[in-house]
Amino acid sequence: MATQLLAGGTQFERRDSAGSPTRPSRVGVVLSVMAMVLVPVLLAAPSAQATVLEVSVTPDLNAGIRTNYGTGCSYTVRAWLSEAVSEVTFFDNGVPFTTVAPDGGGLALTHWIPAYEGDHTLQAVQAGDGQAPYVSVFVGRGEHIGYACWVI
C-alpha cells in the first residue's frame, strides 16, 4: 500500500527488453531543441562599438588675454575612449589632421597646431563610431616666446 501511494503520481516510460526507453519523452525533446537554439544566442558576444566619449584641448604653456590658443602654437588634444584598441582620427573643422593609436588606459593624445585665426571645432572619431564629440575654441595670432606662445 505504501508503495502504491509513493508511485501513484508518477508516470513511467515504456522500456524494451534491454531496459532502455522506447521513445524520447516530449519534455526532453522540447528542452533539447530549446537548448540548441538558445545556447548560441546567449553565448554570442555582442560586438564592441568603439566610441569616443569626450574631446578636450589643453593650452599647454601658451597664454593670451582673449584666448589661450594661437596660430603656429602647439596644443595637446585628448580623446577619452570606450576601448583602447581602435585608431582615433582627429578633425579640425571637419578636416582630418591626424590618426593615432590610443596611448592606453582609454586615452588618445595628439598635437595640434592651428594654421589660421578664427573658430575651430576639434573632433575625434574611432572606426565604426557614429557620434563625434567635439570642443570649440577660438584661435588668435600666436607669437613664440621660447617654448611657449603669447596669443594676441
Side-chain angles (χ1 to χ4, degrees):
M1 177 104 163
T3 308
Q4 291 175 345
L5 290 175
L6 291 176
T10 60
Q11 295 180 352
F12 296 98
E13 295 179 337
R14 293 185 186 190
R15 298 188 177 268
D16 62 10
S17 60
S20 58
T22 56
R23 64 181 180 127
S25 68
R26 287 185 187 171
V27 173
V29 171
V30 170
L31 290 176
S32 297
V33 170
M34 286 177 58
M36 289 186 331
V37 172
L38 292 178
V39 167
V41 171
L42 294 174
L43 294 179
S47 61
Q49 183 80 11
T51 304
V52 175
L53 303 172
E54 185 180 342
V55 176
S56 69
V57 59
T58 60
D60 297 337
L61 295 175
N62 308 313
I65 296 172
R66 184 172 170 196
T67 181
N68 290 331
Y69 304 99
T71 56
C73 305
S74 179
Y75 301 95
T76 302
V77 181
R78 297 184 291 192
W80 281 267
L81 315 170
S82 64
E83 59 90 357
V85 177
S86 303
E87 290 185 330
V88 180
T89 302
F90 289 89
F91 295 85
D92 179 4
N93 288 338
V95 178
F97 65 90
T98 189
T99 299
V100 298
D103 293 332
L107 186 65
L109 300 171
T110 189
H111 289 284
W112 169 62
I113 301 172
Y116 59 90
E117 295 178 31
D119 292 320
H120 290 257
T121 300
L122 302 173
Q123 295 175 298
V125 178
Q126 277 186 294
D129 187 9
Q131 67 179 16
Y134 65 92
V135 61
S136 295
V137 295
F138 178 77
V139 175
R141 187 175 52 140
E143 296 291 334
H144 288 275
I145 49 171
Y147 290 105
C149 271
W150 176 249
V151 182
I152 302 171

